[in-house]
Amino acid sequence: MKRRQWRAAAPVAAALAILGPLGWWWQGSLTPDTYSVMDMGHPDYGGGDRTGHAAMHHGGATVTALTGPRDRPADVSVTLVARAEQIHLPDGRSLAGYTLNHASPGPEIRARQGQLVEVRLVNESVPDGVTLHWHGYDVPNAEDGVAGVTQDAVAPGADHVYRFVAADAGTYWYHSHQVSHEQVRLGLFGALVVGPPSGPPAAVDHLALVHTYAGRRTIAGRSGETRVVAASGSTVRVRLVNTDQGTVRAWLSNAAYRVVAVDGRDTTAPPPVTGAALVLPAGGRADVEFAVPDTGGAVRVDVGAGTALVVGPEGAAASATVEPKASVDPLSYGAPAPIGFDPGAATRRFEYRIGRRPGFLDGRPGLWWTINGRMYPDVPMYMVSGGDVVRMTIANSSGETHPMHLHGHHAVVLSRNGVAATGSPWWTDSLEVADGETYEIAFLADNPGVWVDHCHNLPHAAEGLLAHLAYTGVTTPFRIGGDGHNHPE
Ligand code: C2O
Ligand code: CU
């Protein structure tokens, strides 16, 4: 080759040397228009038994068989109609979004433990389709409401019935799990509160769904102050639910409080708290209990951005205090109690290491999340069998915080950054894992199915911070994309 020709060819060769692998990398990132999550990524057996994997491919159970009771009569029966329309917020603002029975938040569903809850979801006019997921409620898999995993999205004009026994008491919420990063932000959610089987409810039991509509933080759609009437000296329970994408800190003025439940699970011997805020990860809940002072004043429950509940007699004032810097640490709050299984006898051990690197996600260049060094859809499929004791290490070195949410199970926190939990058992379904943190959690595999395990900062999930937990022998007939137009995140 003559020198001049070589000079011309060199940049081309150099470009090819760079673009060739880039093109291959780009192409490799493309997800097909329709796929099954069962074919996604790579199975991870966590050092446990692999035999169920064969069963999975030889006609094991499918999620459609894993329903709640079908023939028992319903004790609580609700119809929710989803619409794309203007939301008229109680604080006077209006915005284009989604409603359930013409409201956002949707109706509060209240049940007692042991009752059968039946919810008929009708999609009147949400073009992308809708579903309902019972966040934090460990329902049978077919009732879990994840488009493309446990059902097809409910198209406009169609409906879908969910049935489950309200086995656990506590504070939960429901939301659409179809295009959820948009539908939840724009209003498709509400609360699910399950009380004890009998007995009178607390004197004042107030639900506080925290949600940011069009940039303004609200409690039940109301920004600023909301008055909750309660007599002097009475005991009040406030159920805080964070339906936003980011962390919410709540604090009280004019009373000490106890954190009586976290993520729907009662705490053991919760001590009174003063001068510390309560951290609610995205998707997380906490019930606080306090007494209205018998001196005539009110208690203020702040959730940030000037939005607060003022709890006390009509007209009673509560002066606001500044947001405390300290936070209640569930790792050491309350007293230990038995958890019902032995994490030392783990039969599976998994890692869920969250990082970030440049690459292509479905052909789009960017800085994307990784799980164990790989990018969606090349993420682990955590494989378990019924009865397994599972330990999982969740480590985050991605530069941002991630509220991690495993469907269908409650996990208990064993340690954070190597420091063992010493307080009331910290049961959680929405666990904030800050940048630089490592949590070790454990749970019992007692709810067969295919379950999503994702970040509840929902745009992060839509950007691929999502994996699945699957039981050996269980598979799903539903597909992402395809005829069902299923886009769960
Ligand atoms: Cu609150 Cu996968 O969801
Ligand atoms: Cu995240």
Side-chain angles (χ1 to χ4, degrees), residues 200-205 235-237 289:
V204 178
D205 185 324
T235 300
V236 176
R237 174 181 283 236
E289 217 169 77

Side-chain angles (χ1 to χ4, degrees), residues 245 354 369 396 398 400-404 433 454-461 463 465:
Q245 313 304 322
I354 306 164
W369 312 114
N396 178 5
S398 70
E400 282 192 38
T401 193
H402 300 291
M404 299 308 296
V433 183
H454 65 93
C455 176
H456 218 279
N457 185 335
L458 296 171
H460 291 180
E463 293 163 359
L465 188 33

Side-chain angles (χ1 to χ4, degrees), residues 135-152:
H135 183 113
Y137 219 69
D138 300 333
V139 298
N141 196 221
E143 316 295 344
D144 198 42
V146 181
V149 180
T150 66
Q151 67 172 97
D152 280 329

Side-chain angles (χ1 to χ4, degrees), residues 94-453:
S94 288
L95 63 134
Y98 303 110
T99 61
L100 289 162
N101 299 2
H102 294 301
S104 177
E108 176 181 338
I109 300 176
R110 284 243 177 198
R112 283 187 179 274
Q113 222 175 342
Q115 288 187 319
L116 190 120
V117 177
E118 178 181 276
V119 178
R120 185 164 159 259
L121 168 66
V122 179
N123 181 5
E124 191 174 291
S125 59
V126 179
D128 287 333
V130 291
T131 67
L132 291 179
H133 166 61
W134 313 95
H135 183 113
Y137 219 69
D138 300 333
V139 298
N141 196 221
E143 316 295 344
D144 198 42
V146 181
V149 180
T150 66
Q151 67 172 97
D152 280 329
V154 181
D159 69 352
H160 185 91
V161 175
Y162 299 91
R163 291 187 124 237
F164 56 89
V165 175
D168 296 313
T171 309
Y172 307 88
W173 61 299
Y174 60 85
H175 62 77
S176 180
H177 220 303
Q178 162 76 345
V179 199
S180 55
H181 71 284
E182 180 188 296
Q183 293 191 359
V184 177
R185 178 173 54 86
L186 292 176
L188 274 184
F189 66 92
L192 168 67
V193 175
V194 179
S198 59
V204 178
D205 185 324
H206 191 82
L207 176 71
L209 276 176
V210 180
H211 193 76
T212 298
Y213 290 94
R216 206 180 302 166
R217 181 160 296 172
T218 70
I219 296 175
R222 200 181 289 272
S223 52
E225 287 181 2
T226 301
R227 166 76 54 175
V228 178
V229 177
S232 295
S234 61
T235 300
V236 176
R237 174 181 283 236
V238 172
R239 300 170 184 270
L240 293 155
V241 184
N242 180 2
T243 68
D244 271 339
Q245 313 304 322
T247 310
V248 166
R249 295 180 89 241
W251 69 97
L252 274 74
S253 310
N254 213 16
Y257 65 98
R258 293 171 202 272
V259 185
V260 293
V262 172
D263 284 355
R265 296 292 182 271
D266 288 350
T267 54
T268 311
V273 178
T274 48
L278 181 60
V279 177
L280 289 165
R285 288 90 57 218
D287 295 8
V288 296
E289 217 169 77
F290 55 88
V292 178
D294 39 25
T295 51
V299 177
R300 195 180 152 100
V301 183
D302 266 282
V303 296
T307 293
L309 297 176
V310 176
V311 187
E314 204 80 66
S319 46
T321 50
V322 291
E323 179 178 344
K325 288 213 166 54
S327 303
V328 176
D329 187 356
L331 199 68
S332 55
Y333 181 76
I339 59 166
F341 69 94
D342 177 13
T347 45
R348 313 259 178 188
R349 288 170 190 267
F350 296 119
E351 300 208 316
Y352 197 127
R353 295 190 177 275
I354 306 164
R356 200 176 196 185
R357 66 168 160 81
F360 294 99
L361 180 74
D362 199 13
R364 287 174 296 149
L367 255 186
W368 302 113
W369 312 114
T370 55
I371 301 173
N372 298 344
R374 308 205 208 181
M375 217 175 277
Y376 186 93
D378 186 21
V379 293
M381 174 64 97
Y382 300 108
M383 299 298 300
V384 296
S385 304
D388 272 331
V389 171
V390 183
R391 285 172 84 120
M392 185 180 269
T393 301
I394 311 175
N396 178 5
S397 60
S398 70
E400 282 192 38
T401 193
H402 300 291
M404 299 308 296
H405 174 55
L406 167 63
H407 287 210
H409 303 76
H410 271 71
V412 69
V413 172
L414 302 177
S415 69
R416 181 181 59 219
N417 300 335
V419 179
T422 54
S424 169
W426 182 2
W427 290 103
T428 179
D429 54 65
S430 305
L431 179 67
E432 177 103 354
V433 183
D435 184 37
E437 282 186 337
T438 300
Y439 276 88
E440 208 185 352
I441 62 169
F443 61 92
L444 205 54
D446 58 0
N447 197 5
V450 180
W451 304 98
V452 194
D453 186 356

